[in-house]
PDB file of all heavy atoms in Angstrom:
ATOM      1  N   GLY A 238      96.796 104.354 109.854  1.00 94.00           N
ATOM      2  CA  GLY A 238      95.910 105.240 109.111  1.00 94.00           C
ATOM      3  C   GLY A 238      94.468 105.020 109.524  1.00 94.00           C
ATOM      4  O   GLY A 238      94.151 104.102 110.278  1.00 94.00           O
ATOM      5  N   GLU A 239      93.601 105.895 109.023  1.00 93.00           N
ATOM      6  CA  GLU A 239      92.172 105.787 109.279  1.00 93.00           C
ATOM      7  C   GLU A 239      91.420 105.982 107.970  1.00 93.00           C
ATOM      8  O   GLU A 239      91.950 106.553 107.020  1.00 93.00           O
ATOM      9  CB  GLU A 239      91.709 106.834 110.297  1.00 93.00           C
ATOM     10  CG  GLU A 239      92.101 106.544 111.726  1.00 93.00           C
ATOM     11  CD  GLU A 239      91.363 105.361 112.331  1.00 93.00           C
ATOM     12  OE1 GLU A 239      90.486 104.782 111.649  1.00 93.00           O
ATOM     13  OE2 GLU A 239      91.665 105.019 113.481  1.00 93.00           O
ATOM     14  N   GLY A 240      90.176 105.503 107.925  1.00 93.00           N
ATOM     15  CA  GLY A 240      89.377 105.707 106.731  1.00 93.00           C
ATOM     16  C   GLY A 240      88.252 104.706 106.598  1.00 93.00           C
ATOM     17  O   GLY A 240      87.987 103.886 107.487  1.00 93.00           O
ATOM     18  N   GLU A 241      87.621 104.759 105.449  1.00 94.00           N
ATOM     19  CA  GLU A 241      86.370 104.037 105.222  1.00 94.00           C
ATOM     20  C   GLU A 241      86.520 102.528 105.076  1.00 94.00           C
ATOM     21  O   GLU A 241      85.533 101.786 105.194  1.00 94.00           O
ATOM     22  CB  GLU A 241      85.700 104.597 103.970  1.00 94.00           C
ATOM     23  CG  GLU A 241      86.532 104.400 102.701  1.00 94.00           C
ATOM     24  CD  GLU A 241      86.049 105.248 101.548  1.00 94.00           C
ATOM     25  OE1 GLU A 241      85.085 104.823 100.878  1.00 94.00           O
ATOM     26  OE2 GLU A 241      86.621 106.335 101.329  1.00 94.00           O
ATOM     27  N   THR A 242      87.724 102.030 104.790  1.00 97.00           N
ATOM     28  CA  THR A 242      87.873 100.598 104.530  1.00 97.00           C
ATOM     29  C   THR A 242      88.345  99.804 105.752  1.00 97.00           C
ATOM     30  O   THR A 242      88.739  98.648 105.625  1.00 97.00           O
ATOM     31  CB  THR A 242      88.837 100.337 103.358  1.00 97.00           C
ATOM     32  OG1 THR A 242      90.137 100.845 103.694  1.00 97.00           O
ATOM     33  CG2 THR A 242      88.339 101.008 102.087  1.00 97.00           C
ATOM     34  N   ARG A 243      88.293 100.407 106.926  1.00 97.00           N
ATOM     35  CA  ARG A 243      88.742  99.706 108.136  1.00 97.00           C
ATOM     36  C   ARG A 243      88.003  98.372 108.311  1.00 97.00           C
ATOM     37  O   ARG A 243      88.622  97.340 108.591  1.00 97.00           O
ATOM     38  CB  ARG A 243      88.543 100.596 109.362  1.00 97.00           C
ATOM     39  CG  ARG A 243      88.800  99.889 110.691  1.00 97.00           C
ATOM     40  CD  ARG A 243      88.621 100.825 111.858  1.00 97.00           C
ATOM     41  NE  ARG A 243      89.835 101.592 112.074  1.00 97.00           N
ATOM     42  CZ  ARG A 243      90.828 101.212 112.868  1.00 97.00           C
ATOM     43  NH1 ARG A 243      90.766 100.040 113.485  1.00 97.00           N
ATOM     44  NH2 ARG A 243      91.888 101.965 113.033  1.00 97.00           N
ATOM     45  N   GLU A 244      86.692  98.373 108.124  1.00 97.00           N
ATOM     46  CA  GLU A 244      85.917  97.149 108.294  1.00 97.00           C
ATOM     47  C   GLU A 244      86.283  96.101 107.245  1.00 97.00           C
ATOM     48  O   GLU A 244      86.354  94.903 107.540  1.00 97.00           O
ATOM     49  CB  GLU A 244      84.421  97.462 108.242  1.00 97.00           C
ATOM     50  CG  GLU A 244      83.912  98.225 109.449  1.00 97.00           C
ATOM     51  CD  GLU A 244      84.131  97.473 110.748  1.00 97.00           C
ATOM     52  OE1 GLU A 244      83.955  96.224 110.742  1.00 97.00           O
ATOM     53  OE2 GLU A 244      84.496  98.103 111.751  1.00 97.00           O
ATOM     54  N   ALA A 245      86.499  96.548 106.009  1.00 97.00           N
ATOM     55  CA  ALA A 245      86.868  95.621 104.945  1.00 97.00           C
ATOM     56  C   ALA A 245      88.223  94.975 105.226  1.00 97.00           C
ATOM     57  O   ALA A 245      88.443  93.788 104.924  1.00 97.00           O
ATOM     58  CB  ALA A 245      86.898  96.344 103.598  1.00 97.00           C
ATOM     59  N   ILE A 246      89.135  95.727 105.809  1.00 98.00           N
ATOM     60  CA  ILE A 246      90.445  95.178 106.164  1.00 98.00           C
ATOM     61  C   ILE A 246      90.286  94.109 107.242  1.00 98.00           C
ATOM     62  O   ILE A 246      90.878  93.024 107.174  1.00 98.00           O
ATOM     63  CB  ILE A 246      91.384  96.300 106.633  1.00 98.00           C
ATOM     64  CG1 ILE A 246      91.668  97.277 105.476  1.00 98.00           C
ATOM     65  CG2 ILE A 246      92.693  95.721 107.173  1.00 98.00           C
ATOM     66  CD1 ILE A 246      92.313  98.570 105.918  1.00 98.00           C
ATOM     67  N   GLY A 247      89.480  94.414 108.243  1.00 98.00           N
ATOM     68  CA  GLY A 247      89.231  93.438 109.296  1.00 98.00           C
ATOM     69  C   GLY A 247      88.577  92.177 108.763  1.00 98.00           C
ATOM     70  O   GLY A 247      88.921  91.063 109.169  1.00 98.00           O
ATOM     71  N   ALA A 248      87.629  92.356 107.841  1.00 98.00           N
ATOM     72  CA  ALA A 248      86.958  91.195 107.245  1.00 98.00           C
ATOM     73  C   ALA A 248      87.944  90.335 106.468  1.00 98.00           C
ATOM     74  O   ALA A 248      87.882  89.095 106.516  1.00 98.00           O
ATOM     75  CB  ALA A 248      85.829  91.667 106.331  1.00 98.00           C
ATOM     76  N   ALA A 249      88.874  90.976 105.749  1.00 98.00           N
ATOM     77  CA  ALA A 249      89.881  90.222 105.001  1.00 98.00           C
ATOM     78  C   ALA A 249      90.774  89.421 105.952  1.00 98.00           C
ATOM     79  O   ALA A 249      91.136  88.273 105.668  1.00 98.00           O
ATOM     80  CB  ALA A 249      90.722  91.174 104.151  1.00 98.00           C
ATOM     81  N   ALA A 250      91.125  90.023 107.082  1.00 98.00           N
ATOM     82  CA  ALA A 250      91.953  89.317 108.060  1.00 98.00           C
ATOM     83  C   ALA A 250      91.230  88.086 108.608  1.00 98.00           C
ATOM     84  O   ALA A 250      91.839  87.022 108.783  1.00 98.00           O
ATOM     85  CB  ALA A 250      92.336  90.264 109.195  1.00 98.00           C
ATOM     86  N   ARG A 251      89.927  88.216 108.843  1.00 98.00           N
ATOM     87  CA  ARG A 251      89.165  87.079 109.356  1.00 98.00           C
ATOM     88  C   ARG A 251      89.052  85.974 108.302  1.00 98.00           C
ATOM     89  O   ARG A 251      89.157  84.780 108.632  1.00 98.00           O
ATOM     90  CB  ARG A 251      87.777  87.547 109.807  1.00 98.00           C
ATOM     91  CG  ARG A 251      87.816  88.411 111.074  1.00 98.00           C
ATOM     92  CD  ARG A 251      86.428  88.669 111.612  1.00 98.00           C
ATOM     93  NE  ARG A 251      85.640  89.523 110.735  1.00 98.00           N
ATOM     94  CZ  ARG A 251      85.654  90.849 110.744  1.00 98.00           C
ATOM     95  NH1 ARG A 251      86.441  91.498 111.607  1.00 98.00           N
ATOM     96  NH2 ARG A 251      84.887  91.546 109.932  1.00 98.00           N
ATOM     97  N   ARG A 252      88.842  86.364 107.055  1.00 98.00           N
ATOM     98  CA  ARG A 252      88.764  85.361 105.978  1.00 98.00           C
ATOM     99  C   ARG A 252      90.055  84.567 105.873  1.00 98.00           C
ATOM    100  O   ARG A 252      90.033  83.364 105.594  1.00 98.00           O
ATOM    101  CB  ARG A 252      88.471  86.041 104.638  1.00 98.00           C
ATOM    102  CG  ARG A 252      87.045  86.494 104.445  1.00 98.00           C
ATOM    103  CD  ARG A 252      86.761  86.765 102.969  1.00 98.00           C
ATOM    104  NE  ARG A 252      87.714  87.681 102.372  1.00 98.00           N
ATOM    105  CZ  ARG A 252      87.590  89.003 102.375  1.00 98.00           C
ATOM    106  NH1 ARG A 252      86.541  89.563 102.983  1.00 98.00           N
ATOM    107  NH2 ARG A 252      88.485  89.766 101.790  1.00 98.00           N
ATOM    108  N   CYS A 253      91.165  85.254 106.072  1.00 98.00           N
ATOM    109  CA  CYS A 253      92.471  84.595 105.951  1.00 98.00           C
ATOM    110  C   CYS A 253      92.894  83.894 107.240  1.00 98.00           C
ATOM    111  O   CYS A 253      93.951  83.244 107.274  1.00 98.00           O
ATOM    112  CB  CYS A 253      93.533  85.623 105.541  1.00 98.00           C
ATOM    113  SG  CYS A 253      93.293  86.347 103.907  1.00 98.00           S
ATOM    114  N   GLY A 254      92.100  84.052 108.295  1.00 98.00           N
ATOM    115  CA  GLY A 254      92.433  83.421 109.559  1.00 98.00           C
ATOM    116  C   GLY A 254      93.618  84.027 110.267  1.00 98.00           C
ATOM    117  O   GLY A 254      94.309  83.348 111.041  1.00 98.00           O
ATOM    118  N   ILE A 255      93.888  85.317 110.037  1.00 98.00           N
ATOM    119  CA  ILE A 255      95.059  85.965 110.647  1.00 98.00           C
ATOM    120  C   ILE A 255      94.665  87.233 111.395  1.00 98.00           C
ATOM    121  O   ILE A 255      95.472  88.158 111.526  1.00 98.00           O
ATOM    122  CB  ILE A 255      96.130  86.298 109.576  1.00 98.00           C
ATOM    123  CG1 ILE A 255      95.532  87.175 108.462  1.00 98.00           C
ATOM    124  CG2 ILE A 255      96.741  85.029 108.991  1.00 98.00           C
ATOM    125  CD1 ILE A 255      96.572  87.737 107.507  1.00 98.00           C
TER     126      ILE A 255
END
Side-chain angles (χ1 to χ4, degrees):
E239 286 290 357
E241 63 195 278
T242 62
R243 172 179 277 270
E244 290 300 321
I246 295 167
R251 290 189 292 274
R252 284 197 307 272
C253 295
I255 56 170

